[in-house]
């Protein structure tokens, strides 16, 4: 089946129980999905609702990645295994028969999906709870409520799909950084308060008694950065760091000099 999976015109009748049907992603879109995810040979690519296995197989064949497909329909699971065998990537791929909502997502470093909006929304808490920060998610056609994509790509299709447009949505699972952080430094204690809405963050606080304001704060996976605009010597400059479980470890560059700062989470 190659018809576009669409909710247009059916939204009123749509219920949460309608399972995404088997509709294939055209090969050129598969390629774009894996490229958008910056797939590498050391990735584990998990396709949720893997159909005939094409995304997992392409990830293994073109990038040397390992792949896992999760699919509700056992006949499609069998077909995907045969396709992987025929493509010479049976050793690198696994196809599991089951419901994506019950699957363990934790081993994936790239997640792909071509499902339906309600199922993307139902998966959202699992993405945040089970996927390691930095995991890339690419969805063909359907976004998630509330969680803005890090990137959206729209492009015209060719061949038998000419005249149609494909849309891809891309997210990087953000580290959890909301709350208060502190670091003892020569100029006084740094106190940060970070507000977080998925990957969007605001950082403010103080260095000693001097208020710290920031601009351009970014969070991408475990990478965090901001431009300090405090009045005191400590507050100015660019901070770039990495979020660990209980620490943010990074480098402050100001006035041509760099130094390390380790922030601890305020309990
Ligand atoms: C639109 S197709 C996409 C197939 C393939 N990923 C591709 O892009 O070509 C959606 C697939 O998800 C499967 N599916 C639907 N609901 C599912 C669920 N809850 N758990 C696992 N698979 C599901 C369907 O059987 C179907 O094969």
């Amino acid at each position: 089946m190659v018809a576009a999976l669409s909710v247009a015109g059916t939204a009123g009748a749509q219920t949460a129980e309608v399972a995404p049907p088997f509709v294939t992603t055209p090969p050129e879109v598969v390629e774009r999905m894996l490229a958008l995810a910056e797939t590498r040979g050391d990735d584990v690519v998990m396709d949720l609702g893997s159909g005939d296995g094409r995304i997992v197989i392409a990830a293994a064949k073109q990038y040397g990645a390992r792949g896992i497909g999760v699919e509700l329909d056992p006949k499609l699971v069998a077909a995907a295994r045969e396709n992987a065998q025929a493509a010479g990537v049976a050793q690198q791929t696994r196809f599991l028969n089951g419901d994506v909502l019950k699957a363990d997502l934790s081993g994936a470093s790239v997640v792909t999906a071509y499902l339906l909006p309600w199922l993307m929304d139902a998966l959202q808490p699992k993405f945040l709870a089970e996927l390691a920060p930095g995991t890339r998610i690419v969805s063909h056609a359907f976004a998630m409520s509330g969680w803005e994509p890090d990137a959206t790509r729209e492009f015209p299709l060719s061949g038998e799909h000419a005249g149609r447009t494909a849309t891809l949505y891309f997210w990087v699972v953000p580290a959890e950084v909301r709350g208060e952080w502190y670091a003892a430094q020569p100029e006084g204690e740094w106190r940060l308060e970070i507000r977080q809405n998925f990957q969007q963050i605001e950082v403010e606080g103080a260095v000693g008694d001097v208020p710290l304001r920031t601009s351009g704060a970014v969070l991408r996976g475990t990478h965090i950065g901001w431009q300090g605009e405090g009045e005191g010597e400590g507050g100015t400059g660019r901070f770039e760091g990495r979020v660990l479980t209980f620490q943010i470890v990074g480098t402050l560059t100001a006035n041509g000099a760099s130094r390390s700062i380790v922030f601890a989470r305020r309990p």
Side-chain angles (χ1 to χ4, degrees), residues 5 20-21 23-25 47 49 51 54-55 71-72 76 98-100 114:
L5 184 53
V23 180
T24 55
T25 296
D47 187 31
R54 59 182 57 206
I55 296 179
E71 170 57 54
L72 212 47
L76 287 170
D99 184 344
V100 294
Y114 181 26

Side-chain angles (χ1 to χ4, degrees), residues 46 48 70 96 98-106 126 130:
M46 183 180 281
L48 301 179
V70 182
L96 309 175
D99 184 344
V100 294
L101 290 171
K102 297 190 183 134
D104 174 7
L105 312 183
S106 64
K126 277 177 73 69
E130 295 177 26

Side-chain angles (χ1 to χ4, degrees), residues 44-49 68 70 96 99-112 122-132 135 137 173:
V44 176
V45 176
M46 183 180 281
D47 187 31
L48 301 179
I68 303 171
V70 182
L96 309 175
D99 184 344
V100 294
L101 290 171
K102 297 190 183 134
D104 174 7
L105 312 183
S106 64
S109 56
V110 171
V111 170
T112 56
L123 282 164
Q124 189 184 105
K126 277 177 73 69
F127 290 155
L128 293 167
E130 295 177 26
L131 296 174
T135 302
I137 303 170
V173 175

